[in-house]
Amino acid sequence: MDTVTRPRILVVGAGFAGVGCVRRLERKLAPDEADVTLVTPFSYQLYLPLLPQVASGVLTPQSVAVSLRRSKRYRTRIIPGGAIGVDLKSKVCVIRTITDQIINEHYDYIVLAPGSITRTFDIPGLTEHAYGMKTLAEAAYIRDHVISQLDLADASDDPAERASRLQFVVVGGGYAGTETAACLQKLTHAAVKRYPRIDPGLIKWHLIDIAPKLMPELGDKLGRSAQEILRRRGIEVSLGVSIAKAGPEEVTFTDGRVVPTRTLIWTAGVVASPLIATLGAETVRGRLAVNAEMNLPGHDGVFALGDAAAVPDQAKGDEGAVCPPTAQHAMRQGTHVADNVVATLRNRPVTPYVHKDLGLVVDLGGTDAVSKPLGIELHGLPAQFAARGYHWWALRTNVAKVRVATNWTLNAIAGDDFVRTGFQARKPARLKDFEFTDAYMTPEQVRAQAEGTDRKEV
């Protein structure tokens, strides 16, 4: 008697793109039409744009981590781990579980949405001494670290130690870096009032970027407005400058300046997940080259989207233009690729992804913001209303919306207690310790694993 197995759909990554895809598949597929599996080390979707507010204490970590298990109606099987290789020929995804077990997961259709990692360069001391702002753990850790610098500076009688603990350097003049510097400066500005032995004038924040403009996507006017807001708040903005080398107690800029600091936060862009390199397929600046339908050419049943894929941006009409790695594209690509997977299952035509950018919002903390929704330039409170309104609307569940709104309200009324949670251990953790970039296999290792090991279940 023949056994008919349901098609196996494997989704890699639980970011905006991956979760959007899974939820759409669950709504559109009948229970017996296909089996859906999601690979993610954490059973939550992280709302990444609000991480600077977690680092500054405006929001709690739980408020931006949206649970994937809250509703009983979801039927997706979740494998707690990370994909470290994909063999397209054998249709096998190699997974390292959170207990370090290596397993093979076979699929009929795969949706690759592994996201991105922090982009670094060959700068002496960078990965050993810098912090990132890409994960929930990093945001919580940085908050502890910044407050601990105030605690230690307050207890010290050494002027040199105080100087290094009270100077902070953020590299990256994009949205992540600008919001991180702005939000954390608000934190130290408010916290120093509780430290009578610290001269507020000793606290200095530096925001540097090799680019000639701050957030050029906003346009010259809003970019200059954001820069003026930061400078008015005491943040020193240096453009055309990067890091020459980093040490445990000082950082050297490319213009020759040496800044004593124990805090270097690196937010100078992202690159596609190392998983993409294991496929041996064509890439565009490290992102998987796909067509407008988000298919990988030459490989049936392989889809890729989000930060890890170079999805053609057909709304711009420019040949060669690809969608930027933003949340608004990832969310919409997730639902669209799910529709294309369903269409493929049902032998129907797939459709190209087209989305016109809705604009940009930048929350600088307090009442400061600059936004450009639908091309309209906003400053101050109207911009802050647009920024927080967009983020609130984009949160996937009502529970998350209530938590975030409550956190914003409590912070505005009661402020912060500047409490360290204890995440910071005696052994410091840096950028290289959070993103596990050394966990991925080479294409040859993936092929050997796929061919030499039978399928295992978690």
Side-chain angles (χ1 to χ4, degrees), residues 263-285:
T263 308
L264 170 61
I265 302 174
W266 180 268
T267 63
V270 298
V271 293
S273 166
L275 177 68
I276 298 305
T278 72
L279 276 68
E282 181 184 354
T283 59
V284 178
R285 294 184 179 180

Side-chain angles (χ1 to χ4, degrees), residues 217-286:
E217 297 88 346
L218 282 173
D220 291 344
K221 185 177 178 181
L222 284 182
R224 286 194 303 268
S225 178
Q227 192 168 331
E228 179 57 34
I229 290 171
L230 298 179
R231 284 179 170 159
R232 190 170 64 242
R233 283 167 40 179
I235 300 175
E236 183 177 325
V237 180
S238 301
L239 300 175
V241 178
S242 189
I243 295 294
K245 63 179 179 179
E249 297 182 11
E250 66 179 27
V251 170
T252 303
F253 292 175
T254 51
D255 61 5
R257 282 181 290 164
V258 178
V259 176
T261 183
R262 310 286 181 102
T263 308
L264 170 61
I265 302 174
W266 180 268
T267 63
V270 298
V271 293
S273 166
L275 177 68
I276 298 305
T278 72
L279 276 68
E282 181 184 354
T283 59
V284 178
R285 294 184 179 180

